[in-house]
Amino acid sequence: MVFGRGRKAKQQQLSETGDTQESAAEGSAADSADGAARGATGPFDVSEIENQDGYVDLGALLIAPQEGLQLRLEVEEATQRVVAVTMDLDGSSLQLQAFAAPRSEGLWDEIREQIGQSVGSQGGQVEEIQGNFGTELVAKLPASGSDESQGYRVARFIGVDGPRWFLRGVLGGEAAVDRDAAAALEGLFRRIVVVRGENPMPPRDLLQLRLPKDSAAPSPKAAPDLEQPERGPEITQIG
């Protein structure tokens, strides 16, 4: 597995609100409903796995290694904060961001609406489709080709609400338009483990990502040595 680090990521905040305070009963009911919909197939909460051995530890996200997978951390230039991780595999990409969420309700319905408004303001179009993770968004944004011809850049947004967290993925390349090409990255998305932490956080705050503690060490089995960072694509512009 190869690591890269984006020099700059244009992070668009999903809007910050004050922290909500729900009763334990509300949280328990929401967690139960979430577990029925997601807990058996992933992505997983850290409380749902036996141990963290074998994962690449990026702080808020644990990533299962796979042969040929490259990871790039995208950094906000002004603050040097890691705001996203992008998984590259077989010519396609999957950008990941995890957010704090309320106990009593999910964020994906509201965030889809916000993504649609953002894409529309940039002259693009969005379409809601049903996929392997429920309702998804396919976004098309105007883009210029190498010969200055006008076309579209396509991205597919997937979202999963977990216990007090929300995980968003943005598929790019062939995976955005071809289900077969997306299969491997979707499989890796299901194996992601989210580490929410116990500290209170306002809903929609980014969960903290970081470089692995030992980014020079090879992972067991599937991953070759990790390399020095390099700049990655700025998919966050359309999110």
Side-chain angles (χ1 to χ4, degrees):
M1 185 183 303
V2 180
F3 254 95
R5 177 174 174 177
R7 180 170 58 85
K8 178 182 178 182
K10 296 181 180 178
Q11 168 63 16
Q12 180 176 355
Q13 289 286 40
L14 296 176
S15 85
E16 295 185 359
T17 62
D19 199 0
T20 58
Q21 297 181 352
E22 295 83 12
S23 69
E26 288 176 327
S28 177
D31 290 349
S32 176
D34 167 75
R38 172 204 51 78
T41 59
F44 300 101
D45 185 76
V46 68
S47 65
E48 297 166 341
I49 62 172
E50 293 184 0
N51 61 70
Q52 301 180 26
D53 295 343
Y55 290 95
V56 179
D57 185 352
L58 302 179
L61 298 177
L62 305 179
I63 306 294
Q66 179 168 313
E67 191 71 43
L69 176 65
Q70 298 182 10
L71 298 179
R72 285 178 287 105
L73 299 183
E74 302 196 31
V75 177
E76 190 175 54
E77 188 173 46
T79 64
Q80 292 300 298
R81 179 179 64 155
V82 179
V83 295
V85 57
T86 298
M87 309 168 74
D88 289 321
L89 184 67
D90 298 331
S92 294
S93 64
L94 173 59
Q95 185 200 64
L96 303 168
Q97 291 180 300
F99 302 87
R103 289 184 184 274
S104 57
E105 60 183 351
L107 295 178
W108 184 217
D109 289 344
E110 181 180 350
I111 287 174
R112 285 202 312 276
E113 181 178 351
Q114 293 172 356
I115 292 171
Q117 293 172 352
S118 175
V119 172
S121 70
Q122 299 174 61
Q125 303 173 354
V126 294
E127 177 186 4
E128 284 199 354
I129 61 174
Q130 290 301 309
N132 295 328
F133 300 93
T135 304
E136 304 175 355
L137 279 184
V138 175
K140 295 181 179 180
L141 277 172
S144 299
S146 56
D147 58 354
E148 298 187 358
S149 62
Q150 294 299 309
Y152 284 95
R153 180 162 56 98
V154 181
R156 179 157 65 94
F157 290 79
I158 55 181
V160 173
D161 289 301
R164 300 174 62 228
W165 52 259
F166 168 73
L167 179 64
R168 191 189 74 175
V170 187
L171 288 155
E174 287 297 314
V177 295
D178 187 324
R179 291 287 177 177
D180 291 336
L185 283 172
E186 288 185 357
L188 286 169
F189 187 76
R190 288 196 182 280
R191 297 168 63 190
I192 289 171
V193 178
V194 179
V195 184
R196 162 62 174 81
E198 297 302 322
N199 292 334
M201 295 179 65
R204 301 173 184 81
D205 264 15
L206 275 169
L207 302 185
Q208 183 62 53
L209 294 166
R210 58 169 172 74
L211 282 167
K213 293 179 180 178
D214 185 5
S215 59
S219 299
K221 297 183 180 179
D225 291 347
L226 305 179
E227 295 184 353
Q228 290 298 312
E230 60 185 27
R231 182 180 177 133
E234 297 176 354
I235 304 173
T236 43
Q237 293 179 56
I238 63 175

